[in-house]
């Protein structure tokens, strides 16, 4: 650890580093004891959690002990104090981005990942247009869910690999910049994540919560709006799990003195109509011009409103919602996004002239043989189909085809006739096309009875 | 694996080896999937269990995945089919001792470990004198419990490191020989045990059961009598846990075609009066001459009787008990032990002339200030005190002092007067003596009311 990080450590925990003369033998003995207590459901102290994280990151604790610790955490869970200590230990394992020279409250928004979820690209420009400072760190697609960085990179020339200085300068000038995760931010989380992936301990709520929160807090945020997705197309399949994750992340924020609010939102059907990188940029453009799908517009405005509220632009959430609505209607969110695209090397004209975006070479219509009401559109299957024809990746090394994807023609609740088009698959090659078409067909459920609309925003945790 | 082991594999499971062209990548992917399913409580197939054991033993599966597998097993448990497959996989990981050239049924006895538990040295000679073939593989002391090998080695000259050929020849000639575990027997168990020790997964009933049973079955036994200790002085503190362990081991025996019976016996107070290696050899000698403590005699005879019954010397257990009693009373068990001592290089006269055994240089009396009835003698504290003055070891590297230990002067239920001697500490040096004396004093509970005698044999699982 370098000197700067040690200072950061003291700021957060008020504790000194462990003395270097603690022998490996004592460390090992103690590690077994900590695993034992975690296994038996005891609460570990912040110092003990930090001992495990630092020890593993430095290589003093072997990976088999870290694996046993992770699996016992999977089963025993963690208290709020433990998961906050874990988050802090991840944060202080690397360098943090110092944005304190930039005036204003720094607010980010994070989604746990969905299908057709392009709300970041709508809410962030609206919030920035309203005066919130938004240093946005985004991720890439994996599996059936999309990633904000991949969507942005569908814009020809758009650079997501800004240097820290470029990022800071742009955030100061435009109040909004987009970059990806860097290796310097929370490296312990990266090391633990790789181990979780190999040891079937990914699906642990405290481990997910600390992984997300450490990466967000390490970039110098003051506040964070979380969108925790629940349903077939999301990582969390059940609302009770999503609620626990949301509560835990909000609790971490409270303990680490960050204002955090979480929405729990429905991901049983894709958000909006477009799934696929360039296709989603088009829908973002329409939505920022107030001509987008109702569900996408509603959720993006709610997220932007909460960013504006947490960013202290307004005194109440109700006022913040009005500001968000106004920044959408007056086109300032749309203009902000264009400025940011230009600043990061992209061509802002793509938002008006969609032919400047990568375009698919073929489209296949999926029709229904039966009439009735659309009662379900399995977001996971739509996401898988889109990924299969090139919009996503199965491994981190896979290349993405920005042009391809799916555009829905109907949403849940809509009445359809026999022969109606359900959606279109946009492709550039025919590989996996038939397979993808079958998945997409399977995704639609048709009912003879009218279907009640499902709430989009299910719960708020704050 | 060598050709012999493969043959053994086919005998036990009827399956061929995995083809060598299975790539490491596929193995790793599959291992995560198996950990995931074990974590979620699914039953793994015998092939899948074997895949994990073989993969880890060969080094194809990394230790962090094996650690995650062990911790998920700790929490999810194992079915009878799974734990039997685990036991088989441990057995076939190494070489097995082929005793088939020796006529007769081979029967061993195993205790999960207690304080003052010298029943092996009484039951085995009685069973051998009755005609049962007893190839006895024993362990060493660790922590507060004693080990049969250490007790035998208190006899000057006694060799426990017989070669396989010497062991086989002695078993054939005398029907009884004692050796320790060898590295060739169930090496996978050894590798997993070391990992369990470092990952807080020792206390898992299926992992304990498979570890014990694999080592026993690998030495070519036909039948096994288990003594599962329960109480303060034992590894299992609760009868329900001891029962689950006993049932699981008996179930493994049934599936692998071995006759196994288990006694669940009380270890709330030490067995007999003597705790410490040479002191216990003296008590063994007395007991084999029918002048030993009632509890030790009773349990040893019951164990010997079950060995004789499983060894098919008699048709019924009742007859077997009578044979055991007769072999005690006619002194043939005593003579058998002397023969075995002589055969393994020891001086059999030690059983008559205790001064030939290592002797302590000092003795400290522990007396009571209050009269009443002895209501409890904490076996764990007595074992710790004895170990502390040199009779046991805390790490595998510690040297043992064969002369030292504790001799109880009272047992639970006995009436005592103020000033009565509770026990004597026998020592050769004064280091830790006061500390040990305090532990021993704490071990005794005195009540004003008469105390009901606790059953020694609590349950039989067969």
């Amino acid at each position: 650890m370098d000197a700067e990080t040690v200072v950061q450590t003291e700021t957060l925990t008020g504790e000194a580093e462990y003395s270097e003369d603690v022998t490996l033998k004592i460390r090992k003995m103690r590690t077994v004891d900590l695993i034992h207590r975690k296994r038996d459901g005891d609460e570990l102290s912040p110092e003990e959690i930090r001992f495990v994280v630092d020890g593993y990151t430095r290589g003093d604790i072997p990976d088999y002990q870290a694996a046993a610790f992770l699996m016992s955490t999977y089963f025993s869970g963690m208290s709020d104090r433990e998961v906050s200590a874990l988050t802090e230990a991840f944060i202080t394992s690397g360098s943090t981005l110092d944005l304190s020279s930039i005036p204003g409250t720094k607010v980010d928004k994070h989604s746990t990942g969905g299908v057709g979820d392009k709300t970041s690209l709508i809410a962030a420009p609206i919030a920035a247009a309203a005066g919130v400072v938004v240093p946005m760190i985004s991720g890439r697609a994996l599996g059936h869910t999309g990633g904000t960085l991949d969507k942005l990179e569908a814009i020809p020339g758009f650079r997501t690999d800004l240097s820290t200085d470029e990022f800071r300068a742009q955030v100061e000038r435009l109040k909004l910049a987009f970059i990806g995760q860097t290796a310097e931010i929370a490296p312990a989380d990266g090391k633990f994540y790789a181990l979780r992936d190999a040891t079937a301990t990914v699906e642990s709520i405290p481990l997910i919560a600390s992984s997300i929160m450490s990466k967000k807090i390490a970039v110098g945020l003051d506040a964070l709006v979380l969108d925790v997705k629940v349903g077939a197309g999301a990582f969390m399949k059940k609302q009770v799990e999503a609620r626990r994750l949301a509560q835990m992340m909000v609790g971490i924020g409270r303990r680490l003195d960050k204002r955090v609010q979480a929405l729990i939102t429905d991901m049983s059907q894709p958000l909006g109509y477009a799934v696929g990188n360039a296709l989603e940029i088009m829908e973002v453009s329409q939505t920022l011009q107030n001509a987008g799908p109702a569900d996408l517009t509603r959720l993006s405005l709610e997220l932007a409103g909460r960013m504006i509220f947490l960013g202290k632009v307004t005194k109440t959430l109700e006022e913040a919602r009005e500001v968000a609505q106004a920044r959408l209607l007056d086109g300032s969110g749309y203009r902000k996004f264009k400025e940011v695209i230009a600043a990061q090397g992209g061509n802002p004209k793509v938002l008006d002239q969609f032919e400047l975006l990568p375009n698919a070479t073929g489209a296949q219509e999926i029709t229904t043989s039966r009439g009735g009401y659309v009662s379900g559109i399995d977001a996971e299957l739509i996401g898988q189909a889109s990924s299969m024809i090139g919009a996503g990746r199965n491994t981190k090394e896979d290349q993405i085809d920005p042009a391809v994807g799916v555009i829905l023609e109907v949403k849940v609740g809509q009445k359809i006739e026999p022969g109606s088009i359900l959606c279109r698959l946009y492709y550039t090659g025919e590989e996996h096309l038939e397979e993808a078409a079958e998945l997409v067909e399977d995704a639609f459920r048709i009912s003879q009875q009218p279907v009640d609309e499902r709430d989009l925003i299910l719960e708020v945790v704050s």
Side-chain angles (χ1 to χ4, degrees), chain A residues 95-127:
Chain A
S95 54
T96 53
L97 212 64
D98 184 4
L99 300 177
S100 58
S101 63
I102 304 173
T105 309
K106 288 95 199 167
V107 186
D108 197 359
K109 174 253 159 193
H110 178 83
S111 161
T112 59
V115 177
D117 182 9
K118 67 282 285 176
T119 54
S120 287
L121 299 181
I122 302 161
I126 291 174

Side-chain angles (χ1 to χ4, degrees), chain A residues 133-206:
Chain A
V133 181
V134 186
M136 187 164 270
I137 316 285
S138 300
R140 295 195 177 276
L142 195 62
H144 68 275
T145 62
T148 297
L149 291 187
D150 297 312
K151 291 170 196 179
L152 287 167
E153 287 175 357
I155 300 170
F158 196 101
R159 284 177 55 215
T160 58
D161 60 345
L162 303 182
S163 70
T164 304
D165 286 344
E166 286 176 310
F167 181 70
R168 194 184 278 116
Q170 184 178 321
V171 170
E172 184 149 20
R173 187 167 63 87
L174 299 180
K175 297 191 185 291
L176 173 60
F178 295 98
I179 52 165
Q181 180 70 26
T182 70
E184 295 78 41
I185 301 292
D189 171 67
K191 198 171 172 187
F192 272 92
Y193 191 86
L195 189 61
R196 284 167 61 200
D197 200 38
T199 56
T201 49
V202 169
E203 301 92 339
S204 158
I205 286 175

Side-chain angles (χ1 to χ4, degrees), chain A residues 20 64 84 93 103 112 120 127 345 351 394 398 411 423 437:
Chain A
E20 291 298 325
Y64 52 87
S84 300
S93 71
T112 59
S120 287
L351 295 194
N394 283 314
D398 289 349
K411 295 276 284 186
C423 71

Side-chain angles (χ1 to χ4, degrees), chain A residues 5 78 108 276 335 341 354:
Chain A
T5 319
M78 277 193 173
D108 197 359
R335 287 190 297 278
I341 291 172
F354 292 164

Side-chain angles (χ1 to χ4, degrees), chain A residues 115-435:
Chain A
V115 177
D117 182 9
K118 67 282 285 176
T119 54
S120 287
L121 299 181
I122 302 161
I126 291 174
V132 182
V133 181
V134 186
M136 187 164 270
I137 316 285
S138 300
R140 295 195 177 276
L142 195 62
H144 68 275
T145 62
T148 297
L149 291 187
D150 297 312
K151 291 170 196 179
L152 287 167
E153 287 175 357
I155 300 170
F158 196 101
R159 284 177 55 215
T160 58
D161 60 345
L162 303 182
S163 70
T164 304
D165 286 344
E166 286 176 310
F167 181 70
R168 194 184 278 116
Q170 184 178 321
V171 170
E172 184 149 20
R173 187 167 63 87
L174 299 180
K175 297 191 185 291
L176 173 60
F178 295 98
I179 52 165
Q181 180 70 26
T182 70
E184 295 78 41
I185 301 292
D189 171 67
K191 198 171 172 187
F192 272 92
Y193 191 86
L195 189 61
R196 284 167 61 200
D197 200 38
T199 56
T201 49
V202 169
E203 301 92 339
S204 158
I205 286 175
L207 298 178
I208 296 168
S210 54
S211 179
I212 292 173
M213 295 301 287
S214 62
K215 284 180 287 198
K216 289 294 170 185
I217 295 173
V219 298
L221 292 181
D222 301 302
L224 179 64
V225 179
L226 292 162
D227 183 4
V228 179
K229 300 291 187 189
V230 64
F235 196 62
M236 300 279 142
K237 306 295 181 197
K238 291 178 183 165
Q239 195 164 337
V240 62
E241 292 170 1
R243 183 183 306 130
R244 282 175 54 214
L245 176 59
Q247 287 170 338
M248 197 161 250
M249 293 194 290
V250 169
I252 292 169
R254 193 179 302 120
R255 284 186 169 259
L256 302 191
D257 212 22
K258 309 293 172 187
R259 301 174 75 193
V260 179
Q261 296 191 346
L263 303 182
I264 299 175
T265 67
D266 180 50
M267 189 35 70
S268 62
Q269 67 174 334
L271 194 59
Y273 291 92
V275 178
N277 298 289
L279 301 174
E280 293 190 47
I281 292 292
M282 298 175 200
E283 195 168 64
V284 164
S285 174
Q286 291 163 341
T287 307
L288 281 170
Q289 295 176 80
N290 198 27
D295 60 345
L296 178 61
T297 303
R298 177 157 180 246
L299 180 54
S300 301
L301 280 175
E302 182 65 20
L303 292 165
R306 288 182 185 267
M307 290 171 79
I308 292 164
F309 173 63
L310 293 185
K312 298 183 180 168
V313 173
T314 64
K315 292 236 160 117
T316 68
L317 178 58
E318 205 38 63
E319 289 172 276
R321 284 185 179 125
E322 283 164 19
V323 170
Q325 178 80 20
R327 293 295 85 78
L328 174 70
L329 294 179
D330 68 11
S332 57
Y334 179 63
R335 287 190 297 278
K336 177 60 72 181
F337 192 37
K338 280 192 160 179
E339 279 174 18
V340 168
I341 291 172
Q344 295 196 227
N347 180 0
K349 289 196 183 124
V350 297
L351 295 194
D352 303 312
Q353 296 163 258
F354 292 164
E355 65 275 18
L356 297 176
L357 285 166
N359 273 280
T361 53
Q364 179 169 338
E365 289 178 353
I366 309 290
T367 57
T368 177
S369 54
R370 298 191 292 140
Y373 298 87
V374 179
S375 59
I377 307 174
D378 187 306
E380 184 162 12
L381 293 180
I382 300 287
Q384 281 172 353
S386 174
S387 182
M388 191 176 282
I389 55 173
R393 41 172 89 76
N394 283 314
T395 73
K396 284 179 184 167
E397 291 70 34
D398 289 349
Q399 285 297 310
I400 273 189
D401 183 343
V404 302
V406 177
I407 293 190
L408 304 181
E409 293 297 323
V410 297
K411 295 276 284 186
V412 170
Q414 208 163 316
K415 192 168 189 304
I416 52 171
E417 306 299 326
S420 291
I421 298 171
L422 297 173
C423 71
R424 287 188 179 85
L425 275 158
Y426 290 85
Y427 58 89
T428 57
E430 307 216 347
E431 206 191 353
H432 301 302
L433 183 61
E434 277 317 299
E435 218 180 325

